[in-house]
Amino acid sequence: MILPFEPYNHEWKLTYSNLQKELAQALASLRPVISHIGSTSIEGLSAKPIIDILIGLQEESHLDKIPALLMAKNYLYYSKYNELMPYRRYFIKLKVPPKSLSLPLELTVNDAIPPILHDHHYRLAHIHAIPLSSPHWTRHIAFRDYVRAHPAVKAEYQQLKTELVKQEWKDGIDYNDAKDAFMKRTEKAAVEWYSQQHK
């Protein structure tokens, strides 16, 4: 598949803001910290027009409380990835209710991903829930802030993405794998920079 790829759009901030309010209300009992991450959070950077949201949980035990709360709001829960990333719970917000596309609200480890979910035009947001104490919380926030603060790094990332989106991909995981070397190198520098900034 060819992934959708668009120039930076200021509407992404508004979309995030609306989703942030919805998530904050749905998860009020857990007192989460909610942040806009990924390429749509970096002004001037082209991106897939899908909002990445990081939910920081106060306690690790909240990982098992969040699925029911978000599925009640029509967020599609990928429990199939829990074994691979036990520190994270992953959800997709579609532009229409999953039921209208004959989709379940949860994809378990034994479920194949329905072909329609490979069509990124149906996706509005990807939601990643992680304990605030996790180093994975820090690396996501650090990467965003580092790229925002370093124009040369942003330009390099823009160039890489521009080349990659011209190619056909099996799915989004394939595409992310192709960015892996850049991401790991930049995340390492970002975390070191972020640690210095927050001493």
Side-chain angles (χ1 to χ4, degrees):
M1 67 177 177
I2 296 289
L3 293 170
F5 189 64
E6 298 178 6
Y8 181 80
N9 187 335
H10 287 279
E11 287 293 315
W12 294 339
K13 286 183 181 179
L14 178 60
T15 302
Y16 164 73
S17 179
N18 291 336
L19 289 168
Q20 189 273 339
K21 289 171 188 170
E22 180 178 273
L23 288 165
Q25 184 175 26
L27 304 175
S29 62
L30 303 182
R31 298 178 295 108
V33 176
I34 303 172
S35 288
H36 189 185
I37 61 166
S39 295
T40 60
S41 71
I42 300 169
E43 195 161 336
L45 192 63
S46 298
K48 300 190 301 294
I50 301 168
I51 309 301
D52 276 296
I53 298 175
L54 190 63
I55 297 175
L57 301 172
Q58 302 290 342
E59 300 176 23
E60 192 170 340
S61 62
H62 291 175
L63 284 169
D64 293 324
K65 295 180 179 179
I66 197 171
L69 296 172
L70 290 192
M71 284 192 289
K73 297 296 183 181
N74 279 321
Y75 284 76
L76 184 61
Y77 174 39
Y78 277 63
S79 63
K80 69 185 288 101
Y81 294 151
N82 291 359
E83 189 174 327
L84 181 64
M85 297 183 183
Y87 56 83
R88 182 193 75 163
R89 298 295 178 267
Y90 177 65
F91 306 84
I92 289 179
K93 176 72 170 181
L94 298 174
K95 294 175 182 176
V96 295
K99 187 177 179 181
S100 70
L101 299 174
S102 301
L103 293 170
L105 280 173
E106 180 178 0
L107 291 174
T108 70
V109 69
N110 295 317
D111 293 328
I113 296 176
I116 198 167
L117 286 175
H118 291 303
D119 185 343
H120 281 59
H121 293 94
Y122 284 104
R123 300 185 184 203
L124 183 63
H126 296 161
I127 294 88
H128 316 260
I130 295 174
L132 285 164
S133 59
S134 168
H136 298 288
W137 168 271
T138 303
R139 75 177 172 83
H140 281 296
I141 300 299
F143 180 86
R144 179 198 66 192
D145 290 356
Y146 181 76
V147 176
R148 282 176 174 175
H150 294 82
V153 177
K154 183 166 75 172
E156 182 184 1
Y157 194 24
Q158 173 74 30
Q159 182 60 37
L160 173 64
K161 287 155 64 75
T162 300
E163 292 302 316
L164 291 179
V165 296
K166 295 175 184 174
Q167 302 176 37
E168 286 270 1
W169 300 99
K170 178 184 173 186
D171 53 36
I173 294 173
D174 238 12
Y175 168 73
N176 287 336
D177 286 346
K179 296 191 299 180
D180 193 55
F182 170 85
M183 296 298 291
K184 283 182 176 170
R185 169 169 52 84
T186 306
E187 281 176 356
K188 184 175 185 295
V191 169
E192 290 173 359
W193 172 84
Y194 187 83
S195 298
Q196 290 294 318
Q197 300 292 312
H198 293 82
K199 275 187 173 179

